[in-house]
Amino acid sequence: MTDEKQRRVQLAAASRQNSEPDTLRQRRLRGLELMGQLPRPRMQRFRFQDWPLIADRPLNWCQSSATNLASTRLDEAVIRVTQLGQTTVSLSLPQPLRDQGVILTDIFTAARDHADLFDKYFMSAIRADENKLTAYHQAYLNAGLFLYVPKNVVVEQPIMAELIQDNTQDEPLVSHILVVADQGSRVKFIQHLTSIGDHTNPANMMVELIAHDGSEIDFSSLDELGPTTHTYFKRRADIGRDAHVEWTVGVMNAGDTVGDMDAELLGTGGYANSKVIAVTTGKQRVGINNRVTNRGKYTTGLINQRGVILEQSELIFNGIGQIIHGAHGAQADQQNRVLIMSPQARGDANPILLIDENDVQAGHAASVGPVDPQQMYYLMSRGIPRPQAQRMVIRGFLGAVLAAIPSQDVRDKIIDVLERKLTDGLQYQ
């Protein structure tokens, strides 16, 4: 039996072991086929093709023990979901929302019990045939969540998903978050990515947001995966007529990370605001594409990225604003700014505008450089020690994005992680 055939047999057997419908099993096999045909993705001015982002092992189903987790405080202000590796530790949805037709479940229960919705939307915004890593994701998916909000339903409580990679085992995390907001609905979704254990594993993390006409999705994420995780993430939103999507992401991983943020403004009057903060330390390397594509008329696409580079690390921001022919009255604006805190650090901020239509508004701003010496002089002349002055300047630099984060909880968590990284990263500057 050839290696390829053996992998197909094993993948199909693992799918049946997980009681998956035939449609998902066929998707997995198609993903495996595409893996052998497609190249890895590329990123402008950032090389990561040699990173171990694909685990060379079969699909396995592994239980993780919740005893490895620290106790989580109960907060009635949010709806909380916790997944440790492939194991759903806790998931509950208030009965009033269930009565209104809201669905919140793990991704495999969605495939079995809500096949009509799952088959329609899963890997519809992100396609398996985009590159080798999206194909791998479809073939070796082993965790994730599904949220559906029916027409005109407003979910007042934020939904908090705690996703923890279990690096106490030699298993990758291939996780998919699928959020579907039907017409006129509103929801806030908060994702917190962390890890436990010290085994070296890849994480392939994808998010699809489907914002139907007139809906609103507010998606926040704090990425805090550990140093032994090599991360590839891809997050894309399909945005309908007069729909509104807010992305707010804090990339605070300790390991090498590469990823894409995408907003597809498909319908007239759609709005997307994509905000990213990234801080790199040690020798880690981080590359992020942040793209907003205006396809519908009178759409608005905004990008705001701020990064801080410490020690010998590297950070690349590519901001890509594209206005497609026919998108009359569209607006595309972006800011990409990077603060370099060490002579050994490397960074770049690349604004890219692709305009194929008249009667539009488009603009960009970019900056890469060290801390303003006048700011440092002003603070230190008033008796503030240099390390504290540096942290104050950095907080001010990131403040424009931090202040725009709608969730106080996410904002506080990002600030806590930021302070830890700055304390560690600045002590050797």
Side-chain angles (χ1 to χ4, degrees):
M1 185 182 296
T2 65
D3 289 344
E4 178 66 23
K5 187 174 182 180
Q6 189 172 14
R7 282 192 288 268
R8 289 181 62 85
V9 169
Q10 191 281 327
L11 194 60
S15 179
R16 284 190 291 270
Q17 180 186 353
N18 198 37
S19 302
E20 296 174 358
D22 185 63
T23 52
L24 179 53
R25 185 155 50 251
Q26 292 306 316
R27 284 177 184 255
R28 288 189 183 278
L29 296 175
R30 176 57 177 161
L32 181 62
E33 180 183 355
L34 289 169
M35 284 179 63
Q37 302 171 5
L38 297 172
R40 289 196 176 203
R42 293 184 177 274
M43 179 175 292
Q44 183 174 346
R45 303 185 184 182
F46 191 75
R47 177 173 174 79
F48 63 96
Q49 278 67 32
D50 57 345
W51 291 9
L53 295 172
I54 293 177
D56 187 19
R57 58 176 67 94
L59 176 62
N60 293 314
W61 302 112
C62 303
Q63 288 292 114
S64 296
S65 174
T67 58
N68 292 326
L69 299 182
S71 60
T72 302
R73 62 179 176 83
L74 295 178
D75 186 352
E76 295 182 357
V78 301
I79 300 166
R80 191 175 298 274
V81 182
T82 302
Q83 284 191 337
L84 172 59
Q86 303 170 17
T87 302
T88 301
V89 176
S90 64
L91 188 156
S92 62
L93 185 67
Q95 190 60 45
L97 292 176
R98 293 177 184 271
D99 294 341
Q100 294 179 79
V102 176
I103 301 169
L104 177 62
T105 186
D106 71 89
I107 199 76
F108 299 114
T109 298
R112 290 188 291 265
D113 297 350
H114 307 284
D116 52 340
L117 292 170
F118 179 85
D119 292 341
K120 181 177 181 179
Y121 294 114
F122 175 69
M123 298 295 282
S124 62
I126 300 171
R127 303 186 314 278
D129 61 2
E130 292 186 32
N131 58 64
K132 185 184 288 289
L133 297 180
T134 56
Y136 170 71
H137 183 90
Q138 180 165 289
Y140 288 92
L141 176 72
N142 61 17
L145 296 169
F146 173 75
L147 171 65
Y148 173 73
V149 184
K151 291 181 181 180
N152 301 318
V153 172
V154 176
V155 182
E156 298 287 356
Q157 296 169 275
I159 296 173
M160 166 69 84
E162 296 277 359
L163 306 181
I164 305 141
Q165 182 174 23
D166 187 357
N167 284 337
T168 65
Q169 307 184 60
D170 285 319
E171 288 295 332
L173 180 60
V174 185
S175 175
H176 194 99
I177 304 298
L178 175 56
V179 178
V180 181
D182 218 325
Q183 295 180 17
S185 64
R186 297 207 310 268
V187 66
K188 294 181 180 179
F189 194 99
I190 302 168
Q191 173 183 264
H192 186 196
L193 306 180
T194 56
S195 58
I196 60 171
D198 55 8
H199 287 267
T200 299
N201 287 306
N204 186 304
M205 315 294 292
M206 296 196 181
V207 175
E208 291 184 291
L209 306 183
I210 312 298
H212 284 281
D213 296 352
S215 66
E216 296 183 15
I217 302 177
D218 187 329
F219 188 97
S220 301
S221 182
L222 171 55
D223 301 357
E224 199 184 350
L225 295 167
T228 61
T229 296
H230 289 81
T231 304
Y232 174 71
F233 71 81
K234 196 170 186 69
R235 295 161 179 159
R236 181 172 294 160
D238 278 356
I239 304 168
R241 176 175 53 82
D242 295 325
H244 185 126
V245 169
E246 295 269 357
W247 290 108
T248 307
V249 176
V251 181
M252 304 288 178
N253 295 332
D256 292 341
T257 301
V258 63
D260 293 297
M261 302 277 298
D262 282 312
E264 292 280 334
L265 291 157
L266 305 175
T268 300
Y271 175 94
N273 191 355
S274 187
K275 304 176 290 294
V276 176
I277 288 175
V279 179
T280 59
T281 59
K283 295 183 178 181
Q284 74 174 134
R285 301 179 61 221
V286 175
I288 299 171
N289 280 337
N290 195 342
R291 176 192 292 270
V292 177
T293 304
N294 300 69
R295 300 185 184 276
K297 297 178 181 180
Y298 305 105
T299 50
T300 301
L302 307 176
I303 296 171
N304 193 352
Q305 303 189 104
R306 302 278 173 123
V308 178
I309 315 175
L310 302 161
E311 299 176 274
Q312 301 176 55
S313 60
E314 178 183 7
L315 172 63
I316 302 295
F317 276 151
N318 292 318
I320 307 162
Q322 184 171 11
I323 299 179
I324 302 298
H325 182 68
H328 299 291
Q331 177 183 349
D333 188 77
Q334 61 173 286
Q335 295 186 41
N336 307 277
R337 303 189 184 279
V338 172
L339 195 61
I340 298 179
M341 299 298 299
S342 165
Q344 289 80 41
R346 295 177 54 203
D348 210 348
N350 305 306
I352 302 168
L353 287 176
L354 306 171
I355 312 299
D356 194 23
E357 185 54 75
N358 298 315
D359 186 29
V360 299
Q361 298 181 46
H364 66 79
S367 65
V368 179
V371 169
D372 186 340
Q374 291 186 343
Q375 291 179 323
M376 290 294 296
Y377 175 78
Y378 177 84
L379 293 172
M380 293 175 65
S381 68
R382 279 148 180 80
I384 299 174
R386 182 179 181 84
Q388 183 180 349
Q390 287 179 314
R391 289 198 298 273
M392 291 175 66
V393 170
I394 292 170
R395 283 283 297 273
F397 172 76
L398 299 177
V401 177
L402 285 170
I405 297 173
S407 168
Q408 180 69 44
D409 189 45
V410 173
R411 190 158 59 244
D412 291 344
K413 286 179 182 290
I414 289 179
I415 291 173
D416 287 345
V417 178
L418 173 63
E419 287 296 331
R420 291 202 303 270
K421 290 178 79 76
L422 293 181
T423 299
D424 293 341
L426 289 172
Q427 62 180 324
Y428 301 113
Q429 304 292 6

